[in-house]
Amino acid sequence: MAAACEVGISTWQNYEAGTSQPGPAVLARLVAMGVSSDWLLTGRPPGDADEQLLQDVVANLETVLAERNLMLPPEKKGRLVALLYQMFREMEEPQVARGHHLIAKVVTLAS
């Protein structure tokens, strides 16, 4: 698996041991090999996504991008959606509408 993801064996062992986490390039390679992105990002099995939360994240991200007159390439927007979804999913009470300022800050960092 290390070779397929283009990382060293010790790096892969660190991922498995939980002492380090793979970056976006490794995650993208895993997804390209058919690994569920939802599972990679949340640890939950595929199909266990909270569709309403995902819709709220996408809608709010689109609003922030429109307010700032920004366009992001699909791969960057996809990574932002995945990151924001994971952040809100880990909250005790994910309220994306209240998290508009957080989404705006993440967009600022990403653009």
Side-chain angles (χ1 to χ4, degrees), residues 32-74:
M33 289 187 286
V35 176
S36 163
S37 58
D38 192 50
W39 179 77
L40 285 171
L41 295 171
T42 68
R44 294 178 179 91
D48 190 34
D50 180 337
E51 287 186 38
Q52 185 60 53
L53 177 59
L54 185 56
Q55 289 172 8
D56 291 346
V57 167
V58 170
N60 276 277
L61 177 58
E62 291 294 341
T63 299
V64 169
L65 292 173
E67 289 171 355
R68 294 168 181 235
N69 200 28
L70 291 173
M71 290 187 64
L72 297 176

Side-chain angles (χ1 to χ4, degrees), residues 64 68 100-110:
V64 169
R68 294 168 181 235
H100 186 81
H101 68 282
L102 175 63
I103 292 173
K105 286 181 181 182
V106 171
V107 167
T108 298
L109 290 171

Side-chain angles (χ1 to χ4, degrees), residues 70-109:
L70 291 173
M71 290 187 64
L72 297 176
E75 59 277 356
K76 196 169 196 178
K77 189 184 289 185
R79 286 194 305 268
L80 271 176
V81 168
L83 171 70
L84 292 165
Y85 176 80
Q86 180 181 4
M87 287 171 50
F88 283 105
R89 184 105 188 224
E90 291 174 356
M91 292 179 177
E92 294 266 333
E93 296 178 32
Q95 296 180 356
V96 179
R98 288 191 194 169
H100 186 81
H101 68 282
L102 175 63
I103 292 173
K105 286 181 181 182
V106 171
V107 167
T108 298
L109 290 171

Side-chain angles (χ1 to χ4, degrees), residues 5 7 11 15 20-30 40-41 79:
C5 289
V7 297
T11 299
Y15 297 158
S20 67
Q21 295 182 347
V26 172
L27 294 174
R29 288 183 190 104
L30 289 168
L40 285 171
L41 295 171
R79 286 194 305 268

